[in-house]
Amino acid sequence: MNDIKHVNVTTVDAAVAELGKGNAAVIAGGTDIVQGLKAMLSPNPPETLVNIKPIADLSKLAEEGGMLKIGPLTTLTELAESSVVVTKYAALAEAARRVASPELRNVGTIGGNICQGNRCWYYRAEHDVFHCIRKGGPLCNATLGDNRFHSIFGAIAGCIAVNPSDIAPALIALNATIVTSKQTVDAENFFAADLEKTTILDDDEIVIEIQVPTPAAGIKSAFVKFAIRKSFDFPVVNCAAAIGGGEARICLNGVYNLPRRATEAEDSIKGVTIDTASAEAAGTAAIADAMAWPVTGWNPSNKWMIEIAKTMVKRAILGCQ
Ligand SMILES: Cc1cc2nc3c(=O)[nH]c(=O)nc-3n(C[C@H](O)[C@H](O)[C@H](O)COP(=O)(O)OP(=O)(O)OC[C@H]3O[C@@H](n4cnc5c(N)ncnc54)[C@H](O)[C@@H]3O)c2cc1C
C-alpha cells in the first residue's frame, strides 16, 4: 500500500478546500475505500484522504418539514434501527439492515454506501492485474470472461461492472434528493454513466445531506435482496419499491452500471390491485430489455440473473401490499 496523507476536517468548506488541492478522496467509514487502497487496485490512487467524520453537522437523522433529513455520516446501523425509518421508510430501513455484516453496518455510512465504487472481480482484482477498460485499459475483461455477476442491461462505454449499493435503489424508489456541497439532485440522477466514477460528484464536491420525502398516506415501500451468502454479502440483485395512490416507483440494483429504475414494471403495476399475478406480470415487464452475455469457453454467463431480477421485482411489489 502506498503512503497516504490523512487530513481531518471539521467543516464542509475545509473538506472542499482539501479536496480542491487535487489527488485527494473523502474517507467516511472507510470500509470501501480502504479495501481498494490496500488492494492497490487503482493505478492512480489518491495521495490524501480527507476524513469528514469530525464534521458534526453531517450526522443528523431527523424528520423536518415533511421529509427525513439524513446526514451522510449516519451509519447503516443507525438507519436500520431508527424507529422513524423502520415505521415510515420501510424500504430504506430494510436496505440498511441487509448491507454486509453488523460490524460493517456499525462503521459504514449512508454517504459512503451511495458513493462506493462499482463491483467487478476483474476491476477489483489486487495490484491492477487486469488493467481493464474502467482503469483506462483496452477492454472489459468481464465481457470476454466470467460475467456471472455482471450487467444484464448492457454496457456503458464498454464496461459491465455493476453498482452494488443496497441503499441506492431504496432512495430512488422513495424519490429522495441528494444535497451536495455544490448542487441538489434527484437520487435517480446522482449516479454517473462514466467509467472513471460512479456518481456525478466533482473531485472537490461532497454529499452533505440526503432528503427523503415522507411518503403520503397509502404508499407502502419494501426492499428485497438476493445474495449468495444471506447473512453477509453484496447483492446479486436487489429491488426497492414504493407503491400506492395510483403511483409506483421501482428500482433494481446490481444489474447495471447504475441503479436502474424498472419503469416498465411501474407502468404495469400503477393503479392495479397488487396480487401474485399482477406482481409477476410487472416482474416480466421489468426484464423485457434484459440480455445475458454469451457463454465463453468454460465461463458461465449471467443469464440466471435475469430470472432473479424478475423475482426480485415481483417480491418487492408484493412487499408493498
Ligand atoms: C466485506 C464487505 C461487504 C459489503 N457488503 C455490502 C452490501 O451487502 N451492500 C452494500 O450496499 N454495500 C456493501 N459493502 C460496501 C460498503 O463498504 C458499505 O456499503 C459502506 O456503506 C460504505 O460506507 P463507508 O462510510 O465505509 O464508505 P468509505 O469507504 O469511507 O467511502 C466509500 C466511497 O464514498 C466516498 N464518500 C464517502 N462519503 C462521502 C461523502 N459524504 N461525499 C462524497 N463522497 C463520499 C469515498 O470517497 C469513497 O469513494 C460491503 C463492503 C465490504 C468491505
Side-chain angles (χ1 to χ4, degrees):
M1 185 172 167
N2 297 333
D3 286 344
I4 293 173
K5 193 175 152 197
H6 186 270
V7 180
N8 292 320
V9 289
T10 54
T11 65
V12 170
D13 285 348
V16 168
E18 283 297 334
L19 292 167
K21 292 177 184 171
N23 210 4
V26 169
I27 181 167
T31 59
D32 184 50
I33 196 163
V34 172
Q35 189 192 31
L37 292 172
K38 282 171 85 174
M40 298 182 74
L41 66 87
S42 168
N44 303 305
E47 288 169 358
T48 306
L49 288 180
V50 179
N51 177 22
I52 59 170
K53 286 193 292 298
I55 308 178
D57 294 349
L58 302 188
S59 297
K60 169 179 203 168
L61 178 61
E63 274 195 314
E64 276 174 25
M67 64 177 77
L68 179 68
K69 294 187 173 178
I70 312 171
L73 292 178
T74 305
T75 66
L76 300 165
T77 298
E78 287 166 340
L79 272 180
E81 294 183 352
S82 155
S83 57
V84 172
V85 183
V86 170
T87 312
K88 296 192 192 173
Y89 309 85
L92 182 57
E94 179 63 6
R97 193 184 73 80
R98 293 295 311 275
V99 173
S101 62
E103 293 85 350
L104 286 157
R105 291 194 293 274
N106 287 343
V107 176
T109 65
I110 184 170
N113 188 282
I114 60 173
C115 295
Q116 67 178 292
N118 276 14
R119 293 206 84 81
C120 162
W121 41 30
Y122 298 103
Y123 169 66
R124 292 262 175 177
E126 293 192 352
H127 300 287
D128 193 22
V129 285
F130 299 101
H131 188 62
C132 69
I133 196 166
R134 208 169 174 80
K135 301 178 190 174
L139 53 84
C140 172
N141 301 76
T143 55
L144 303 173
D146 186 338
N147 49 45
R148 76 185 88 166
F149 299 124
H150 291 73
S151 172
I152 53 171
F153 289 103
I156 288 184
C159 167
I160 60 171
V162 294
N163 185 304
S165 167
D166 283 318
I167 298 295
L171 293 179
I172 292 170
L174 290 167
N175 203 11
T177 298
I178 313 292
V179 183
T180 79
S181 49
K182 285 188 182 171
Q183 59 185 316
T184 298
V185 61
D186 289 343
E188 186 177 354
N189 298 322
F190 177 71
F191 300 92
D194 195 320
L195 285 182
E196 285 161 22
K197 49 188 194 171
T198 51
T199 72
I200 55 151
L201 294 177
D202 287 337
D203 291 346
D204 63 347
E205 184 176 9
I206 71 168
V207 174
I208 59 172
E209 191 165 274
I210 296 152
Q211 301 177 343
V212 190
T214 305
I219 294 188
K220 289 191 177 174
S221 69
F223 171 88
V224 293
K225 169 172 175 175
F226 178 87
I228 300 293
R229 292 172 294 184
K230 301 284 173 262
S231 59
F232 162 47
D233 215 344
F234 284 96
V236 173
V237 180
N238 64 25
C239 183
I243 303 177
E247 292 301 319
R249 290 178 66 91
I250 301 170
C251 187
L252 284 161
N253 210 10
V255 294
Y256 187 48
N257 288 72
L258 314 171
R260 191 176 195 275
R261 245 179 103 187
T263 49
E264 307 85 353
E266 292 174 1
D267 292 342
S268 162
I269 203 72
K270 264 182 211 166
V272 172
T273 303
I274 297 176
D275 58 22
T276 306
S278 62
E280 174 105 22
T284 303
I287 56 163
D289 293 336
M291 55 164 265
W293 292 92
V295 175
T296 51
W298 291 101
N299 291 314
S301 100
N302 58 354
K303 189 174 176 192
W304 66 298
M305 283 175 61
I306 297 177
E307 200 58 30
I308 305 280
K310 175 182 163 184
T311 304
M312 289 297 100
V313 170
K314 174 182 170 184
R315 288 187 187 170
I317 291 171
L318 289 172
C320 295
Q321 274 178 309

